mmCIF file with all atom_site columns, all heavy atoms in Angstrom:
data_model
loop_
_atom_site.group_PDB
_atom_site.id
_atom_site.type_symbol
_atom_site.label_atom_id
_atom_site.label_alt_id
_atom_site.label_comp_id
_atom_site.label_asym_id
_atom_site.label_entity_id
_atom_site.label_seq_id
_atom_site.pdbx_PDB_ins_code
_atom_site.Cartn_x
_atom_site.Cartn_y
_atom_site.Cartn_z
_atom_site.occupancy
_atom_site.B_iso_or_equiv
_atom_site.pdbx_formal_charge
_atom_site.auth_seq_id
_atom_site.auth_comp_id
_atom_site.auth_asym_id
_atom_site.auth_atom_id
_atom_site.pdbx_PDB_model_num
ATOM 1  N N   . LEU A 1 111 ? 11.758 -2.970 23.327 1.00 0.00 ? 111 LEU A N   1
ATOM 2  C CA  . LEU A 1 111 ? 11.402 -2.726 24.720 1.00 0.00 ? 111 LEU A CA  1
ATOM 3  C C   . LEU A 1 111 ? 12.517 -3.089 25.698 1.00 0.00 ? 111 LEU A C   1
ATOM 4  O O   . LEU A 1 111 ? 12.704 -2.405 26.709 1.00 0.00 ? 111 LEU A O   1
ATOM 5  C CB  . LEU A 1 111 ? 10.146 -3.515 25.091 1.00 0.00 ? 111 LEU A CB  1
ATOM 6  C CG  . LEU A 1 111 ? 8.835  -3.027 24.494 1.00 0.00 ? 111 LEU A CG  1
ATOM 7  C CD1 . LEU A 1 111 ? 7.725  -4.024 24.790 1.00 0.00 ? 111 LEU A CD1 1
ATOM 8  C CD2 . LEU A 1 111 ? 8.485  -1.648 25.037 1.00 0.00 ? 111 LEU A CD2 1
ATOM 9  N N   . LEU A 1 112 ? 13.249 -4.152 25.401 1.00 0.00 ? 112 LEU A N   1
ATOM 10 C CA  . LEU A 1 112 ? 14.172 -4.698 26.392 1.00 0.00 ? 112 LEU A CA  1
ATOM 11 C C   . LEU A 1 112 ? 15.656 -4.507 26.089 1.00 0.00 ? 112 LEU A C   1
ATOM 12 O O   . LEU A 1 112 ? 16.489 -4.918 26.896 1.00 0.00 ? 112 LEU A O   1
ATOM 13 C CB  . LEU A 1 112 ? 13.898 -6.201 26.580 1.00 0.00 ? 112 LEU A CB  1
ATOM 14 C CG  . LEU A 1 112 ? 12.477 -6.567 27.011 1.00 0.00 ? 112 LEU A CG  1
ATOM 15 C CD1 . LEU A 1 112 ? 12.324 -8.073 27.097 1.00 0.00 ? 112 LEU A CD1 1
ATOM 16 C CD2 . LEU A 1 112 ? 12.121 -5.896 28.333 1.00 0.00 ? 112 LEU A CD2 1
ATOM 17 N N   . SER A 1 113 ? 15.975 -3.913 24.962 1.00 0.00 ? 113 SER A N   1
ATOM 18 C CA  . SER A 1 113 ? 17.395 -3.760 24.639 1.00 0.00 ? 113 SER A CA  1
ATOM 19 C C   . SER A 1 113 ? 17.632 -2.420 23.948 1.00 0.00 ? 113 SER A C   1
ATOM 20 O O   . SER A 1 113 ? 16.702 -1.689 23.639 1.00 0.00 ? 113 SER A O   1
ATOM 21 C CB  . SER A 1 113 ? 17.873 -4.904 23.737 1.00 0.00 ? 113 SER A CB  1
ATOM 22 O OG  . SER A 1 113 ? 17.468 -4.688 22.403 1.00 0.00 ? 113 SER A OG  1
ATOM 23 N N   . SER A 1 114 ? 18.894 -2.149 23.720 1.00 0.00 ? 114 SER A N   1
ATOM 24 C CA  . SER A 1 114 ? 19.257 -0.915 23.019 1.00 0.00 ? 114 SER A CA  1
ATOM 25 C C   . SER A 1 114 ? 19.322 -1.124 21.508 1.00 0.00 ? 114 SER A C   1
ATOM 26 O O   . SER A 1 114 ? 19.591 -0.176 20.767 1.00 0.00 ? 114 SER A O   1
ATOM 27 C CB  . SER A 1 114 ? 20.601 -0.406 23.533 1.00 0.00 ? 114 SER A CB  1
ATOM 28 O OG  . SER A 1 114 ? 21.606 -1.381 23.296 1.00 0.00 ? 114 SER A OG  1
ATOM 29 N N   . ALA A 1 115 ? 19.070 -2.333 21.047 1.00 0.00 ? 115 ALA A N   1
ATOM 30 C CA  . ALA A 1 115 ? 19.108 -2.627 19.606 1.00 0.00 ? 115 ALA A CA  1
ATOM 31 C C   . ALA A 1 115 ? 18.017 -1.838 18.893 1.00 0.00 ? 115 ALA A C   1
ATOM 32 O O   . ALA A 1 115 ? 16.874 -1.800 19.336 1.00 0.00 ? 115 ALA A O   1
ATOM 33 C CB  . ALA A 1 115 ? 18.931 -4.120 19.360 1.00 0.00 ? 115 ALA A CB  1
ATOM 34 N N   . ARG A 1 116 ? 18.376 -1.184 17.808 1.00 0.00 ? 116 ARG A N   1
ATOM 35 C CA  . ARG A 1 116 ? 17.420 -0.379 17.058 1.00 0.00 ? 116 ARG A CA  1
ATOM 36 C C   . ARG A 1 116 ? 17.454 -0.648 15.557 1.00 0.00 ? 116 ARG A C   1
ATOM 37 O O   . ARG A 1 116 ? 16.614 -0.148 14.831 1.00 0.00 ? 116 ARG A O   1
ATOM 38 C CB  . ARG A 1 116 ? 17.676 1.124  17.290 1.00 0.00 ? 116 ARG A CB  1
ATOM 39 C CG  . ARG A 1 116 ? 17.391 1.575  18.706 1.00 0.00 ? 116 ARG A CG  1
ATOM 40 C CD  . ARG A 1 116 ? 15.906 1.405  19.014 1.00 0.00 ? 116 ARG A CD  1
ATOM 41 N NE  . ARG A 1 116 ? 15.562 1.730  20.382 1.00 0.00 ? 116 ARG A NE  1
ATOM 42 C CZ  . ARG A 1 116 ? 15.389 0.837  21.355 1.00 0.00 ? 116 ARG A CZ  1
ATOM 43 N NH1 . ARG A 1 116 ? 15.554 -0.437 21.130 1.00 0.00 ? 116 ARG A NH1 1
ATOM 44 N NH2 . ARG A 1 116 ? 15.050 1.215  22.554 1.00 0.00 ? 116 ARG A NH2 1
ATOM 45 N N   . LYS A 1 117 ? 18.408 -1.420 15.115 1.00 0.00 ? 117 LYS A N   1
ATOM 46 C CA  . LYS A 1 117 ? 18.501 -1.717 13.685 1.00 0.00 ? 117 LYS A CA  1
ATOM 47 C C   . LYS A 1 117 ? 18.308 -3.214 13.490 1.00 0.00 ? 117 LYS A C   1
ATOM 48 O O   . LYS A 1 117 ? 18.972 -4.025 14.117 1.00 0.00 ? 117 LYS A O   1
ATOM 49 C CB  . LYS A 1 117 ? 19.846 -1.268 13.125 1.00 0.00 ? 117 LYS A CB  1
ATOM 50 C CG  . LYS A 1 117 ? 19.992 0.233  13.165 1.00 0.00 ? 117 LYS A CG  1
ATOM 51 C CD  . LYS A 1 117 ? 21.060 0.708  12.241 1.00 0.00 ? 117 LYS A CD  1
ATOM 52 C CE  . LYS A 1 117 ? 21.064 2.230  12.309 1.00 0.00 ? 117 LYS A CE  1
ATOM 53 N NZ  . LYS A 1 117 ? 21.657 2.841  11.207 1.00 0.00 ? 117 LYS A NZ  1
ATOM 54 N N   . PHE A 1 118 ? 17.384 -3.526 12.592 1.00 0.00 ? 118 PHE A N   1
ATOM 55 C CA  . PHE A 1 118 ? 17.060 -4.915 12.293 1.00 0.00 ? 118 PHE A CA  1
ATOM 56 C C   . PHE A 1 118 ? 17.016 -5.084 10.783 1.00 0.00 ? 118 PHE A C   1
ATOM 57 O O   . PHE A 1 118 ? 15.939 -5.195 10.198 1.00 0.00 ? 118 PHE A O   1
ATOM 58 C CB  . PHE A 1 118 ? 15.722 -5.299 12.935 1.00 0.00 ? 118 PHE A CB  1
ATOM 59 C CG  . PHE A 1 118 ? 15.650 -4.988 14.402 1.00 0.00 ? 118 PHE A CG  1
ATOM 60 C CD1 . PHE A 1 118 ? 15.049 -3.817 14.848 1.00 0.00 ? 118 PHE A CD1 1
ATOM 61 C CD2 . PHE A 1 118 ? 16.200 -5.848 15.328 1.00 0.00 ? 118 PHE A CD2 1
ATOM 62 C CE1 . PHE A 1 118 ? 14.990 -3.507 16.197 1.00 0.00 ? 118 PHE A CE1 1
ATOM 63 C CE2 . PHE A 1 118 ? 16.148 -5.560 16.684 1.00 0.00 ? 118 PHE A CE2 1
ATOM 64 C CZ  . PHE A 1 118 ? 15.546 -4.387 17.119 1.00 0.00 ? 118 PHE A CZ  1
ATOM 65 N N   . PRO A 1 119 ? 18.168 -5.084 10.156 1.00 0.00 ? 119 PRO A N   1
ATOM 66 C CA  . PRO A 1 119 ? 18.186 -5.174 8.689  1.00 0.00 ? 119 PRO A CA  1
ATOM 67 C C   . PRO A 1 119 ? 17.697 -6.534 8.206  1.00 0.00 ? 119 PRO A C   1
ATOM 68 O O   . PRO A 1 119 ? 17.848 -7.536 8.903  1.00 0.00 ? 119 PRO A O   1
ATOM 69 C CB  . PRO A 1 119 ? 19.662 -4.965 8.339  1.00 0.00 ? 119 PRO A CB  1
ATOM 70 C CG  . PRO A 1 119 ? 20.409 -5.397 9.559  1.00 0.00 ? 119 PRO A CG  1
ATOM 71 C CD  . PRO A 1 119 ? 19.514 -5.066 10.726 1.00 0.00 ? 119 PRO A CD  1
#
Side-chain angles (χ1 to χ4, degrees):
L111 288 172
L112 302 177
S113 78
S114 60
R116 293 296 176 261
K117 294 199 177 201
F118 308 97

